[in-house]
Amino acid sequence: MRAAVRTNRPRRPPPAATAKLASSSRPKLEKAQVPLTLPLKSFKLRLANGPPLAPTPKAFKSYAETCATLLRLCRAAATATSHAAHASSSSSSDRLPLALSLHAHAVRSGVAADRSVASHLLTTYAAFARAAERDRAFGDCVAADAASSFTYDFMVSEHVKAGDIASARRLFDGMPERTVVSYTTMVDALMKRGRVAEAVELYEQCPSGSVAFFTATISGFVRNELHHNALGIFRKMLSCSVRPNGITFLCMIKACVGAGEFGLALSIVGLAIKSNFFESSIEVQNSLITLYLRMGDAAAARKVFDEMDVKDVVSWTALLDVYSESGDLDGARRVLDAMPERNEVSWGTLIARHEQRGNAAEAVKLYSQMLADGCRPNISCFSSVLSACASLEDLRGGARIHACSLKMGSSTNVFVSSSLIDMYCKCKKCRDAQTIFDTLPQKNTVCWNSLVSGYSYNGKMVEAMYLFKKMPARNLASWNTIISGYAQNRQFVDALKSFNAMLASGQVPGEITFSSVLLACANLCSLVTGKMAHAKTIKLGIEESIFIGTALSDMYAKSGDLQSSKRMFYLMPERNDVTWTAMIQGLAENGFAEESILLFEDMVATGMTPNEHTFLALLFACSHSGLVEQAIHYFDKMQAWGISPTEKHYTCMVDVLARAGRLIEAEALLMKTPSKSEANSWAALLSACNTYKNEEIGERAAKRLHELEKDNTAGYVLLSNMYASCGRWKDAARIRVLMKGTTLKKDGGCSWVQVRGQYHAFFSWEAKHPLSMEIDEILDLLMWESSL
DNA sequence: CTAGGGTTAG
């Protein structure tokens, strides 16, 4: 069954083309083929007898009309061949020489300057894809003052079709009188290229309006995600008493969906039904499926689909998305298999949904199935599957798709190349990403952002900043990329510097910006900067956002201002699991273990589901306050909730047991740890063995620690300390010598304060601060005073 | 010569 479909597909044109062919081109083709031979033959005969003169104006007119009709027949033959492959190619190829001789003949007999003949000549050459002759015919037409509005309209649209907007615009500007049709063509072309401002200017200049003109403007705004502007145009259109048609309704449903104006959408659907544009248009019905889907009413969407008389690939694909959106990807797959025919959009939808939900492997698998089904991937498809490869760090798969996009000529598309840059960077191939970037003929801000983000992902902040500075244009995402890049690489001071540069540049920060900025403030314990950021969120009116609220509460807690942290937490209009976890963690880190545990119980009481991070914060609280029994209780409870402990949970548990001196239990738990790679757990145990002077377990722990991490300095220090504490000085010294031999340097502690915007750092292993002498003196003084 | 605007995925 599937095999039959597969073999048929490449031969069959896409459904949209079929519909178009059926409605417009095919009747034309038949009309052209029947009378084609007869008049042309008689005309050839007349040509052979020499050009007839046109003695009376009436004869001249009829001769010109004949000429025009014949040229129309020639053109019809040309368009018929280019539209349908099954039309006999021989019949059209001999039409071009005929058209050429007709042209010559028309010139000789002086009818070439006839408006009708001139425009037919033009359209004939265009249909034969003879751009040079077309332009010459147009020039002659203008010179002979035979250029009608249609001629200009036609040429403007020819330039637009060729992608030459500059020429189209020049011609449009030079038109003796601009028509609504040309306004429509220009507005549409500019909108499709994202040049909204220029399009709007033309829209406002246009003195009148037609359905197509208003609809093109609406569609342009929708395309550029300016949905509310689209709604405004619709109102304007109605106030000009221009009646919307099926296409207008289609665009308006899209506009309402984009703007989230569902009520309005439904009344527009009502209007479409009343004016009979609903039943007659499969497209309007298809867009209604998506409308209900976006409204969250899957049942209604399904009902629309079921009640449709005629369904096409688009209807089926929309249904497929109804299943994907509700999370039923298996159901979506069943729809795909049940579809009478599939196209690249159907596959692409399923691939994209899998990719978005984190099923990257499935997305890649579906991609190969799509190829096997005979569908050619398009831009969005490449983009989704490359993102999937990026998250899988699948360099081989990604490179294969890169090769495929190269073959199909899509690799230089900005969407595809941004995904390629991202994919290579995630696979740690920054050089390849850079090469792709360098060879791009035109790049947009997204391409730049991808590479900047790629370098910061690989910890190369110098390169990232170099690129960032070179960017021709920066948007909010660019600033977010560089700021979060610094924050992720723990260069918090640089993150704040970039934030200040952002504000100075006039770019308004967004929620994502603040989450990085507040993270930086929290880690620098820079309460003053954090408060300033807080003030900015209030000014921007985003302090009520759940992300901002959580980040603020976290920042205050990490900076030690628990009062403010709690106030933020309790004032938040809504909280999620992350919010609760941050507060529980904040209390725990500041030593309020009991309060932390109470808050956890509150969280559960409100019906919120704790996640693995919540339990980690809770166990952390217990371990820092020596609440052994509680820790054991919550560790068991966590598993009852269906959350399996990670290495970090085990580390916390080992720590709390070991600190309480329950070394045997701690070691037993550690042996049960599924992944035995967590060196910190063994270090915690070793440290406790040091405190409780247990050499036997201590030596085993040290051995494991050494196996796991040869370069783990902490292990050496702990072991050495343990020997020292037991009085085994020789062993202690041996470890110290070993450390020196491995050129290991003991990691030291570091603390800092911020004074008038300047950071002062103090290291445990060396006195580096230039004022350390003075500081020590003051410290002595303070200690002496407090001892009085 | 009756144009010019279009449904599904990202």
Side-chain angles (χ1 to χ4, degrees):
Chain A
M1 182 58 196
R2 289 278 300 281
V5 174
R6 197 178 304 150
T7 46
N8 282 339
R9 195 183 329 285
R11 307 247 76 199
R12 199 187 304 160
T18 320
K20 213 168 189 166
L21 226 70
S23 65
S24 61
S25 303
R26 244 186 221 138
K28 236 184 216 169
L29 178 74
E30 281 155 18
K31 216 159 117 194
Q33 267 176 350
V34 180
L36 200 57
T37 43
L38 204 79
L40 283 178
K41 258 189 189 154
S42 65
F43 187 74
K44 271 184 192 164
L45 213 68
R46 276 203 261 171
L47 273 183
N49 296 338
L53 293 170
T56 62
K58 199 184 162 202
F60 186 88
K61 193 169 173 278
S62 95
Y63 184 69
E65 271 168 11
T66 317
C67 215
T69 311
L70 291 166
L71 278 163
R72 187 177 66 81
L73 296 175
C74 286
R75 199 191 53 249
T79 33
T81 4
S82 68
H83 271 238
H86 55 261
S88 66
S89 54
S90 61
S91 75
S92 96
S93 60
D94 60 343
R95 297 286 174 252
L96 180 61
L98 191 63
L100 289 170
S101 72
L102 268 169
H103 187 182
H105 190 73
V107 171
R108 267 208 308 276
S109 51
V111 288
D114 177 84
R115 288 201 158 209
S116 182
V117 176
S119 66
H120 276 300
L121 268 172
L122 197 71
T123 49
T124 305
Y125 282 128
F128 280 112
R130 293 296 182 120
E133 283 95 339
R134 177 201 65 195
D135 291 345
R136 211 174 45 237
F138 175 67
D140 293 345
C141 199
V142 173
D145 201 25
S148 60
S149 296
F150 167 77
T151 317
Y152 280 101
D153 289 345
F154 183 80
M155 285 305 290
V156 169
S157 111
E158 281 287 295
H159 285 303
V160 168
K161 272 185 219 149
D164 187 355
I165 305 299
S167 297
R169 184 65 204 252
R170 254 197 314 278
L171 202 59
F172 175 75
D173 288 338
M175 274 171 79
E177 87 192 272
R178 297 175 183 180
T179 58
V180 204
V181 177
S182 278
Y183 269 111
T184 311
T185 312
M186 285 310 300
V187 166
D188 184 55
L190 290 169
M191 285 289 202
K192 278 181 182 155
R193 264 147 262 257
R195 290 156 68 170
V196 182
E198 291 165 78
V200 170
E201 207 189 321
L202 288 188
Y203 167 79
E204 280 162 359
Q205 279 175 20
C206 186
S208 60
S210 63
V211 209
F213 176 69
F214 284 115
T215 309
T217 313
I218 291 172
S219 140
F221 277 128
V222 173
R223 191 184 296 271
N224 289 287
E225 313 225 279
L226 295 160
H227 303 106
H228 286 285
N229 298 46
L231 303 187
I233 302 293
F234 186 65
R235 266 193 293 276
K236 173 84 186 157
M237 177 179 177
L238 295 182
S239 75
C240 294
S241 39
V242 175
R243 285 169 62 91
N245 64 16
I247 303 176
T248 320
F249 286 122
L250 202 54
C251 296
M252 280 312 296
I253 293 172
K254 269 192 100 169
C256 292
V257 170
E261 296 272 359
F262 297 127
L264 185 61
L266 290 179
S267 52
I268 284 172
V269 170
L271 209 61
I273 293 171
K274 254 205 289 195
S275 40
N276 264 328
F277 282 115
F278 181 74
E279 289 288 314
S280 60
S281 166
I282 186 167
E283 288 93 342
V284 176
Q285 292 175 43
N286 286 341
S287 72
L288 190 61
I289 300 179
T290 309
L291 167 65
Y292 279 125
L293 174 59
R294 298 280 171 261
M295 284 174 69
D297 193 345
R302 175 81 220 208
K303 197 161 173 268
V304 174
F305 176 84
D306 288 337
E307 287 174 1
M308 280 173 77
D309 292 330
V310 190
K311 303 172 175 76
D312 63 3
V313 215
V314 180
S315 330
W316 281 93
T317 307
L319 182 72
L320 188 153
D321 207 30
V322 171
Y323 281 87
S324 329
E325 198 86 323
S326 62
D328 184 5
L329 291 175
D330 295 328
R333 177 63 210 238
R334 280 194 299 276
V335 172
L336 187 86
D337 289 330
M339 281 167 78
E341 62 174 324
R342 291 166 284 281
N343 64 14
E344 71 287 353
V345 182
S346 330
W347 283 102
T349 305
L350 199 54
I351 292 172
R353 293 295 184 214
H354 273 287
E355 195 271 318
Q356 286 159 3
R357 286 179 190 267
N359 304 334
E362 187 62 26
V364 174
K365 221 163 89 188
L366 281 166
Y367 173 78
S368 357
Q369 287 173 9
M370 164 181 158
L371 293 184
D373 196 41
C375 286
R376 290 163 64 82
N378 61 16
I379 306 282
S380 351
C381 206
F382 278 130
S383 169
S384 313
V385 76
L386 282 168
S387 298
C389 291
S391 49
L392 292 170
E393 295 180 24
D394 178 8
L395 183 61
R396 287 173 64 94
R400 213 171 40 235
I401 292 156
H402 182 191
C404 189
S405 73
L406 216 71
K407 243 194 289 184
M408 295 191 41
S410 315
S411 63
T412 52
N413 171 279
V414 284
F415 288 95
V416 176
S417 49
S418 298
S419 305
L420 279 170
I421 290 168
D422 184 51
M423 185 274 293
Y424 280 114
C425 287
K426 291 270 160 62
C427 297
K428 303 180 179 66
K429 299 284 179 196
C430 288
R431 284 190 64 107
D432 294 313
Q434 180 77 53
T435 311
I436 288 171
F437 180 81
D438 290 338
T439 50
L440 271 179
Q442 64 239 32
K443 341 179 196 295
N444 63 11
T445 310
V446 182
C447 303
W448 284 87
N449 290 350
S450 298
L451 194 58
V452 171
S453 147
Y455 276 124
S456 26
Y457 181 82
N458 285 284
K460 297 171 190 280
M461 286 314 294
V462 179
E463 286 86 344
M465 194 45 172
Y466 173 76
L467 260 171
F468 182 79
K469 282 188 175 152
K470 278 210 329 197
M471 283 178 77
R474 299 180 193 97
N475 58 18
L476 177 60
S478 323
W479 287 101
N480 286 344
T481 305
I482 198 79
I483 294 171
S484 79
Y486 277 129
Q488 294 306 314
N489 285 293
R490 309 195 65 79
Q491 299 188 30
F492 300 116
V493 177
D494 293 310
L496 293 184
K497 272 188 193 159
S498 300
F499 179 59
N500 287 329
M502 175 185 190
L503 296 175
S505 81
Q507 174 69 57
V508 179
E511 289 188 21
I512 300 170
T513 324
F514 281 106
S515 72
S516 297
V517 167
L518 291 169
L519 178 77
C521 294
N523 277 281
L524 290 171
C525 306
S526 173
L527 195 54
V528 182
T529 325
K531 278 184 176 166
M532 287 197 298
H534 185 178
K536 287 209 171 61
T537 62
I538 295 171
K539 259 194 212 164
L540 290 168
I542 51 173
E543 88 276 22
E544 301 248 292
S545 143
I546 197 155
F547 294 102
I548 300 280
T550 306
L552 277 169
S553 163
D554 188 50
M555 183 275 294
Y556 280 120
K558 288 219 165 60
S559 306
D561 184 354
L562 263 183
Q563 282 272 300
S564 304
S565 173
K566 278 196 243 176
R567 203 167 49 234
M568 279 311 303
F569 179 80
Y570 285 110
L571 285 177
M572 279 173 72
E574 54 171 345
R575 309 176 190 93
N576 62 16
D577 52 341
V578 184
T579 317
W580 284 92
T581 303
M583 193 68 244
I584 292 167
Q585 172 106 27
L587 288 165
E589 279 172 358
N590 283 282
F592 298 98
E594 283 85 0
E595 213 181 324
S596 177
I597 292 167
L598 283 175
L599 192 68
F600 172 80
E601 293 300 340
D602 283 349
M603 174 184 181
V604 177
T606 56
M608 192 65 71
T609 312
N611 59 33
E612 51 172 285
H613 300 286
T614 320
F615 279 104
L616 192 61
L618 200 57
L619 294 179
F620 180 84
C622 298
S623 100
H624 274 245
S625 306
L627 303 167
V628 193
E629 294 309 325
Q630 257 113 324
I632 295 169
H633 168 71
Y634 286 117
F635 190 68
D636 292 339
K637 194 168 176 181
M638 165 180 168
Q639 278 147 301
W641 273 83
I643 301 166
S644 43
T646 67
E647 291 160 16
K648 283 186 176 144
H649 295 97
Y650 278 102
T651 306
C652 261
M653 287 309 290
V654 169
D655 188 57
V656 71
L657 288 168
R659 275 169 195 261
R662 293 157 74 161
L663 299 174
I664 298 164
E665 281 169 81
E667 195 189 14
L669 185 69
L670 207 38
M671 299 304 280
K672 274 204 317 204
T673 312
S675 159
K676 302 215 184 293
S677 61
E678 182 71 3
N680 285 338
S681 306
W682 290 104
L685 181 59
L686 181 54
S687 170
C689 291
N690 176 19
T691 314
Y692 291 96
K693 300 188 174 52
N694 187 325
E695 294 165 49
E696 189 199 333
I697 296 177
E699 271 186 51
R700 276 204 297 273
K703 206 173 147 232
R704 287 304 297 266
L705 187 58
H706 185 70
E707 283 167 8
L708 288 170
E709 269 181 50
K710 282 215 160 43
D711 294 339
N712 190 312
T713 337
Y716 286 105
V717 178
L718 285 167
L719 190 60
S720 160
N721 286 350
M722 189 194 76
Y723 286 135
S725 69
C726 305
R728 290 168 62 173
W729 304 110
K730 270 192 185 164
D731 289 323
R734 185 169 54 84
I735 301 295
R736 289 279 170 183
V737 169
L738 203 67
M739 270 178 73
K740 280 199 183 119
T742 51
T743 67
L744 287 175
K745 224 170 74 185
K746 183 187 170 222
D747 286 343
C750 167
S751 62
W752 61 89
V753 286
Q754 190 190 11
V755 183
R756 287 188 210 99
Q758 192 77 41
Y759 286 93
H760 299 267
F762 302 91
F763 306 94
S764 65
W765 63 90
E766 52 191 329
K768 237 194 176 162
H769 199 278
L771 294 173
S772 55
M773 291 270 281
E774 286 86 339
I775 292 168
D776 283 343
E777 272 172 28
I778 303 279
L779 262 178
D780 283 344
L781 192 70
L782 285 170
M783 306 259 260
W784 176 73
E785 273 187 1
S786 64
S787 68
L788 286 178

